[in-house]
Amino acid sequence: MKEHHKKSDALDYHEYPQPGKIAVVPTKKHATQYDLSLAYSPGVAEPCLAIEENKNDAYRYTNKGNLVAVISNGTAVLGLGNIGADAAKPVMEGKGLLFKIFADIDVFDIEVNTTDVDTFVNTVKAIAPTFGGINLEDIKSPEAFEIERRLKEELDIPVMHDDQHGTAIISAAALKNALEIVGKDISKVRIVVNGAGAAAISCTRLYIALGANPKNIVMLDSKGVIRKDNPNLDALKAEFATDHNLHTLEEAIKDADVFIGLSKGNVVSPQMLLSMAKDPIVFAMANPTPEIAYDLAIQTRPDIIMATGRSDTPNQVNNVLGFPFIFRGALDVRATKINEQMKLAAVHALANLAKKSVPDQVNAVYGGINLTFGKEYIIPKPFDPRLIYEVPPAVAKAAMDSGVAQKPITDWDAYREQLMDRLGGSNKEIRALQERARQNPKRVVFPEADILEVLKAAQRVYEEGIAIPVLLGHKETILSHMERLDFNANLQIIDPKSDQEIERRKSFADIYWKKRQRKGITQLNAQRLMRERNYFGAMLVNTGQADAMITGYSRSYPQVIRPILDLVEKEEGFSRIAATSILITKRGPLFLSDTTMNPNPTAEDLTSITLAVAEKAKMFGIEPSIALLSYSNFGSAPSESTKKLTKVVEYLHRNYPDLVVDGEVQVDIALNPEKLAAAFPFSKLNNGKPANVLIFPNLESANISYKIIKEDEGLNSIGPIILGLSKPIHITLMNASVDEMVNLTTFAVVDAQERERRK
């Protein structure tokens, strides 16, 4: 994945469709005057009076218990330095977004315009009643230590400076597991810490709490080894000063077992690495350039266990593994602080999770490889859905055991269920799908690449490492658009009408003519059709010169589907092509079928559609729960339409007994587990969750429902996804957004990966 993004894209992302990355949304009804009278005057007086009597009732009647402040003065913004409070706001909003999408924690970002410790502390103390927790961010050292120390002492809510403790917790978990793999005792290993900032000091303190011997630790700052004979050391550095006769990194790293890099890129040479002890552990966490490049390190020392801060190498030390889940556990027991016991609990929970069998859902995200505990998998992956129900319970229990929990948990099974429910949608499935695509990007044809919006989508998938675009269209127009977009890439650009493509057109036409010569296609017609981009693009995929195709932006669905149906064979078992569209809802992906193809599918068609959609759902790591929809429930209003659905259900129950599918059923029943269980306890859909695959009886109902929900709710979507073709060719809606085209391309890449794997 490329790290660089264009300035205009970054600015547009933050400005449109509305400025910023987070917003406040109502959580209560507010449509009527009565609703408003409860929300504000006079009804609001009742919770105010209750809280006046007992301030802890703020957790009952307000959002305090799920609200964290992300607070900074902008004096040490990662990679940018002291940029000030105003300029730090986008970073704080971004941190708020991560809190929400990974742990369902609401955030207000607070930028405090002061560098004075007393003023900063007093400001935070004054606003603290608003919040259930405080996340300090991007505050320079040494002030960060003093600010955190005072706030922890003077407030009765959790306070954590993530820059210090986040990296410490994640790297400590990784260190624990790495030492176990190489069979070394943490109390005996020699550790070199290159860097002496807030993160380095917090990491070292936590390693000592984990069992490291301070006498075996050497810390370096920009001037070299921090030594006890230096008369100018401040109190923080003095804590880690050594009396060993060492002065440089080259001297310190010799025979060391562990190197912890929190400094700058390329400061460790291969010669230094070779001088380390057997089975060295190297965490080169400088970003974006590690202290030594991953590939160079593993080539130099095959016995190394390596971690970095980058997402494109194994063992990424990523703070998102920690802070959302630590605060989740602290908030859920109403902890008064985040103490050492809670941090260590998070360390052990993360370390233990990496040793557990990895679900297929996670393996699929990372290219279908079988992740197992070992040198290249010592900490969990950020997209592991188990994080939210493994780490918070450990943190919550540590808070209870250490006496800082004000609301102890008594039913741990119920708590884990609540945490699982918090996973929701939040587009995490799209992020996971994109990560999966990046593991093995495929060649994707864009037949409308000389349209600016389509080219923007191609640029996105290329620069994000999702796909390798093959661009069809007028070459000069494409190059002009690429220059305008600052899209610098050496990609295939093909104009099917150009003289350069005569031989390929002829070859494609011959293949097509031989296939369709008894269906009215002449050789001349075949040659003429190969000048059209959708025919040419489909043939690129058919002949293996590309892996997938995305089209449909500028033409109606019937116009676009025709060449595809003419050229591409159906999958085995399919008599008709169908389509499913995916809406990314708060509860997760919702598959709606058939939204574009079949006006009135037969029972046999619906059976094929149902089985195909179930397979696509599993590509997301989702166990399909399938409802066949109608206006009636289980025979309450018999008609030709409902009898058709009954026939499908009977066939699937008989031949696919493990498939969770039932109907016919009304949509409100299918999406409401409580209603379903009360009215129809016999249904196979009674698994405690709403249906995630909806099969409609006809095209009208499916298409109308999909577009109403999508537009009214403003949901992210993927599709339409073509079902039943032997090749991964998918058709976007006319005038689709760039995001929609990127999402569909991502799916097409994963679709191609799956087909390749099955072969």
Side-chain angles (χ1 to χ4, degrees):
M1 176 181 175
K2 294 194 173 184
E3 297 290 338
H4 173 70
H5 296 89
K6 296 201 310 298
K7 179 179 178 180
S8 61
D9 283 352
L11 294 176
D12 286 349
Y13 172 84
H14 285 80
E15 185 175 3
Y16 303 109
Q18 68 183 59
K21 295 189 286 284
I22 54 178
V24 177
V25 295
T27 60
K28 297 292 190 292
K29 294 186 296 181
H30 51 275
T32 68
Q33 180 59 39
Y34 182 71
D35 293 337
L36 296 179
S37 73
L38 293 174
Y40 198 53
S41 180
V44 75
E46 298 303 332
C48 290
L49 293 171
I51 295 168
E52 184 184 27
E53 288 184 18
N54 177 10
K55 76 171 189 175
N56 283 333
D57 275 353
Y59 289 94
R60 293 182 62 187
Y61 301 123
T62 76
N63 67 346
K64 180 182 175 83
N66 196 50
L67 185 62
V68 166
V70 174
I71 303 183
S72 179
N73 60 4
T75 53
V77 177
L78 181 64
L80 299 174
N82 185 356
I83 61 175
D86 289 311
K89 184 172 173 62
V91 181
M92 303 312 120
E93 286 186 352
K95 195 64 174 276
L97 184 146
L98 296 177
F99 265 110
K100 187 64 179 177
I101 65 176
F102 281 99
D104 192 29
I105 293 172
D106 294 320
V107 164
F108 290 158
D109 63 289
I110 308 290
E111 291 73 40
V112 183
N113 191 23
T114 183
T115 57
D116 180 74
V117 170
D118 288 337
T119 304
F120 190 99
V121 169
N122 289 335
T123 300
V124 176
K125 285 172 60 179
I127 63 173
T130 306
F131 301 101
I134 304 288
N135 181 94
L136 299 171
E137 193 81 13
D138 292 346
I139 304 168
K140 75 180 183 70
S141 178
E143 291 91 333
F145 292 97
E146 177 66 8
I147 287 170
E148 186 190 39
R149 182 190 66 77
R150 286 180 53 181
L151 289 173
K152 288 175 72 171
E153 290 176 358
E154 298 173 34
L155 292 176
D156 61 355
I157 57 175
V159 176
M160 188 173 86
H161 186 205
D162 183 52
D163 297 333
Q164 298 178 48
H165 305 297
T167 302
I169 290 163
I170 313 309
S171 65
L175 179 61
K176 180 177 185 289
N177 280 344
L179 289 170
E180 180 178 324
I181 289 168
V182 298
K184 293 184 179 182
D185 185 339
I186 191 170
S187 66
K188 297 177 181 177
V189 294
R190 286 191 54 224
I191 301 174
V192 173
V193 181
N194 197 54
I201 289 171
S202 292
C203 284
T204 309
R205 285 174 175 169
L206 194 58
Y207 302 158
I208 291 169
L210 203 59
N213 186 340
K215 294 181 180 179
N216 294 336
I217 297 173
V218 175
M219 182 178 285
L220 297 92
D221 61 14
S222 59
K223 298 176 182 177
V225 173
I226 299 172
R227 296 173 47 80
K228 288 184 177 179
D229 57 8
N230 183 345
N232 300 317
L233 293 180
D234 61 37
L236 291 171
K237 291 183 179 180
E239 183 180 345
F240 302 103
T242 183
D243 53 12
H244 292 299
N245 186 26
L246 301 169
H247 299 83
T248 65
L249 177 58
E250 187 174 10
E251 293 172 354
I253 204 170
K254 188 174 187 300
D255 296 324
D257 299 284
V258 178
F259 171 83
I260 304 295
L262 291 156
S263 52
K264 61 181 182 178
N266 298 321
V267 296
V268 174
S269 67
Q271 290 72 27
M272 292 182 192
L273 204 59
L274 289 168
S275 74
M276 292 183 71
K278 183 177 181 293
D279 298 319
I281 296 167
V282 173
F283 293 174
M285 295 180 284
N287 248 331
T289 305
E291 283 80 1
I292 183 169
Y294 177 83
D295 290 341
L296 177 59
I298 61 174
Q299 289 168 10
T300 304
R301 289 293 299 259
D303 59 340
I304 196 173
I305 294 182
M306 178 85 170
T308 73
R310 294 177 59 97
S311 62
D312 55 357
T313 64
N315 302 322
Q316 183 192 15
V317 178
N318 188 332
N319 280 20
V320 82
L321 291 168
F323 69 84
F325 311 110
I326 294 165
F327 270 96
R328 181 76 273 158
L331 292 173
D332 290 340
V333 292
R334 208 176 295 166
T336 57
K337 60 182 63 180
I338 294 173
N339 56 28
E340 290 302 304
Q341 294 94 320
M342 294 161 74
K343 294 177 202 168
L344 284 171
V347 170
H348 293 303
L350 287 167
N352 292 337
L353 181 56
K355 299 176 191 175
K356 295 183 178 181
S357 177
V358 178
D360 289 342
Q361 177 182 0
V362 180
N363 285 323
V365 170
Y366 294 93
I369 60 173
N370 186 25
L371 293 169
T372 55
F373 180 61
K375 290 172 64 174
E376 293 190 349
Y377 180 63
I378 57 176
I379 44 175
K381 297 290 189 179
F383 290 105
D384 195 324
R386 299 172 298 172
L387 287 162
I388 197 169
Y389 58 81
E390 293 287 349
V391 180
V395 173
K397 189 174 188 305
M400 291 165 55
D401 292 345
S402 60
V404 299
Q406 300 179 93
K407 185 188 173 186
I409 292 168
T410 55
D411 187 337
W412 290 97
D413 289 336
Y415 178 50
R416 284 169 65 90
E417 286 292 327
Q418 292 169 13
L419 292 170
M420 291 181 198
D421 288 342
R422 287 189 180 276
L423 284 173
S426 301
N427 292 316
K428 71 180 185 301
E429 286 82 10
I430 289 179
R431 297 195 306 275
L433 205 68
Q434 289 178 343
E435 187 63 28
R436 187 173 170 185
R438 290 186 189 105
Q439 306 304 311
N440 184 15
K442 297 296 183 184
R443 299 162 298 172
V444 179
V445 179
F446 291 86
E448 302 158 296
D450 50 10
I451 297 174
L452 186 62
E453 293 302 298
V454 175
L455 191 61
K456 286 181 181 178
Q459 180 181 21
R460 278 267 303 279
V461 298
Y462 174 75
E463 293 184 347
E464 294 182 22
I466 292 167
I468 304 162
V470 178
L471 308 175
L472 303 193
H474 187 259
K475 188 170 184 177
E476 293 305 316
T477 303
I478 292 173
L479 290 172
S480 175
H481 285 334
M482 290 180 76
E483 184 177 1
R484 175 179 171 185
L485 294 173
D486 192 23
F487 184 6
N488 300 310
N490 184 23
L491 298 174
Q492 267 191 294
I493 301 175
I494 302 170
D495 185 349
K497 296 180 180 179
S498 70
D499 291 342
Q500 286 83 1
E501 295 299 326
I502 290 174
E503 289 304 316
R504 186 150 43 180
R505 282 201 308 271
K506 184 177 183 302
S507 171
F508 287 172
D510 286 344
I511 295 170
Y512 177 54
W513 176 62
K514 287 174 183 176
K515 178 184 175 184
R516 304 283 294 185
Q517 59 187 341
R518 292 184 179 272
K519 295 184 179 180
I521 296 296
T522 67
Q523 197 164 22
L524 189 61
N525 281 340
Q527 292 172 359
R528 178 180 55 80
L529 289 173
M530 288 308 138
R531 296 171 64 86
E532 295 188 15
R533 300 177 196 180
N534 284 318
Y535 278 90
F536 190 93
M539 285 303 299
L540 285 172
V541 179
N542 258 352
T543 57
Q545 297 176 58
D547 304 299
M549 185 169 90
I550 300 297
T551 186
Y553 178 86
S554 64
R555 295 187 180 187
S556 68
Y557 209 87
Q559 288 178 299
V560 177
I561 195 66
R562 175 48 52 198
I564 294 167
L565 296 179
D566 281 352
L567 291 172
V568 183
E569 298 289 343
K570 297 183 183 69
E571 279 189 295
E572 187 177 347
F574 265 82
S575 59
R576 297 175 72 89
I577 304 301
T580 187
S581 297
I582 306 170
L583 292 172
I584 307 301
T585 75
K586 292 179 181 178
R587 294 190 292 197
L590 183 64
F591 293 74
L592 289 77
S593 308
D594 171 6
T595 50
T596 63
M597 295 292 295
N598 296 292
N600 189 22
T602 65
E604 291 73 21
D605 294 334
L606 288 171
T607 301
S608 296
I609 291 168
T610 302
L611 293 172
V613 179
E615 181 187 325
K616 299 303 181 189
K618 290 176 182 177
M619 286 174 60
F620 285 78
I622 292 168
E623 197 59 39
S625 180
I626 308 167
L628 277 76
L629 300 182
S630 184
Y631 58 86
S632 67
N633 290 308
F634 302 103
S636 63
S639 69
E640 287 304 312
S641 175
T642 60
K643 288 177 184 177
K644 176 174 67 174
L645 299 178
T646 300
K647 185 178 178 181
V648 175
V649 171
E650 289 175 351
Y651 177 86
L652 293 172
H653 282 186
R654 185 170 61 252
N655 293 283
Y656 298 87
D658 294 332
L659 188 65
V660 178
V661 58
D662 219 335
E664 85 284 8
V665 64
Q666 294 177 3
V667 68
D668 58 329
I669 299 293
L671 296 178
N672 190 316
E674 291 77 19
K675 279 186 179 181
L676 178 71
F680 307 105
F682 57 83
S683 174
K684 288 188 74 170
L685 293 173
N686 277 307
N687 56 9
K689 297 180 180 179
N692 52 31
V693 176
L694 305 180
I695 305 295
F696 290 80
N698 55 49
L699 177 59
E700 282 183 328
S701 58
N703 189 271
I704 292 169
S705 298
Y706 166 67
K707 290 187 176 179
I708 287 175
I709 299 170
K710 182 178 181 298
E711 293 303 317
D712 188 56
E713 298 294 329
L715 298 176
N716 216 332
S717 66
I718 304 176
I721 291 165
I722 303 297
L723 306 171
L725 285 178
S726 61
K727 301 290 183 181
I729 295 177
H730 299 293
I731 303 171
T732 189
L733 297 174
M734 279 188 72
N735 301 313
S737 70
V738 171
D739 282 342
E740 288 170 334
M741 287 186 279
V742 169
N743 291 344
L744 190 56
T745 304
T746 304
F747 183 88
V749 170
V750 176
D751 192 4
Q753 291 172 352
E754 281 295 295
R755 293 167 192 263
E756 183 179 74
R757 183 182 61 81
R758 288 198 298 267
K759 286 182 180 179

